[in-house]
Amino acid sequence: QVQLVESGGGLVQAGGSLRLSCVVSGRRFSRYAMGWFRQAPGKEREFVAAISWSGGSTYNADSVKGRFTISRDNAKNTVYLQMSSLKSEDTAVYYCAVKPDGRLVYDYWGQGTQVTVSS
């Protein structure tokens, strides 16, 4: 069993910053990529950012480029999402997910953490 627990969400004013964390526990994988997704009310879930096992490759959605940074600490089984210059349209539930090496999809998901940006 794999568990992903996100934390760090909350209410912030537009222009502010937040750092989300996601801790992975349970079954161990040799290598896995991790990603952040979000879902706003009435909208479909969308990709935000992803990072390779080594951390050497990162990917960001166009909507967050230059504002959000994904990173990871494999010793702590943790992935982070540093969010800056937040906008009201960033308001959503943010989910982290694990994509084990060799898989094409994210197989494991957290329960989500709410981020609300007030304008």
Side-chain angles (χ1 to χ4, degrees), residues 12-32:
V12 63
Q13 288 188 334
S17 299
L18 279 176
R19 188 177 83 154
L20 305 183
S21 300
C22 172
V23 179
V24 181
S25 63
R27 177 184 171 185
R28 295 297 180 94
F29 304 97
S30 57
R31 298 163 63 93
Y32 54 93

Side-chain angles (χ1 to χ4, degrees), residues 89-111:
E89 50 263 45
D90 295 319
T91 294
V93 177
Y94 284 71
Y95 301 89
C96 65
V98 165
K99 183 159 67 77
D101 206 32
R103 294 284 292 165
L104 297 179
V105 297
Y106 288 86
D107 285 334
Y108 304 96
W109 294 80
Q111 82 291 346

Side-chain angles (χ1 to χ4, degrees), residues 11-17 85-88 116-119:
L11 175 64
V12 63
Q13 288 188 334
S17 299
S85 301
L86 283 162
K87 306 175 182 179
S88 58
T116 303
V117 183
S118 63
S119 56

Side-chain angles (χ1 to χ4, degrees), residues 31-48:
R31 298 163 63 93
Y32 54 93
M34 294 201 70
W36 285 98
F37 295 77
R38 67 187 182 187
Q39 186 167 20
K43 295 187 177 181
E44 294 189 353
R45 186 172 58 195
E46 64 174 0
F47 168 78
V48 175

Side-chain angles (χ1 to χ4, degrees), residues 39-116:
Q39 186 167 20
K43 295 187 177 181
E44 294 189 353
R45 186 172 58 195
E46 64 174 0
F47 168 78
V48 175
I51 187 167
S52 62
W53 166 253
S54 68
S57 296
T58 60
Y59 312 89
N60 293 280
D62 288 343
S63 59
V64 305
K65 281 181 180 177
R67 301 188 299 121
F68 291 10
T69 301
I70 188 171
S71 61
R72 67 188 296 167
D73 183 341
N74 289 338
K76 296 181 178 179
N77 298 318
T78 301
V79 65
Y80 305 97
L81 185 68
Q82 178 67 48
M83 306 186 294
S84 303
S85 301
L86 283 162
K87 306 175 182 179
S88 58
E89 50 263 45
D90 295 319
T91 294
V93 177
Y94 284 71
Y95 301 89
C96 65
V98 165
K99 183 159 67 77
D101 206 32
R103 294 284 292 165
L104 297 179
V105 297
Y106 288 86
D107 285 334
Y108 304 96
W109 294 80
Q111 82 291 346
T113 185
Q114 177 70 47
V115 172
T116 303

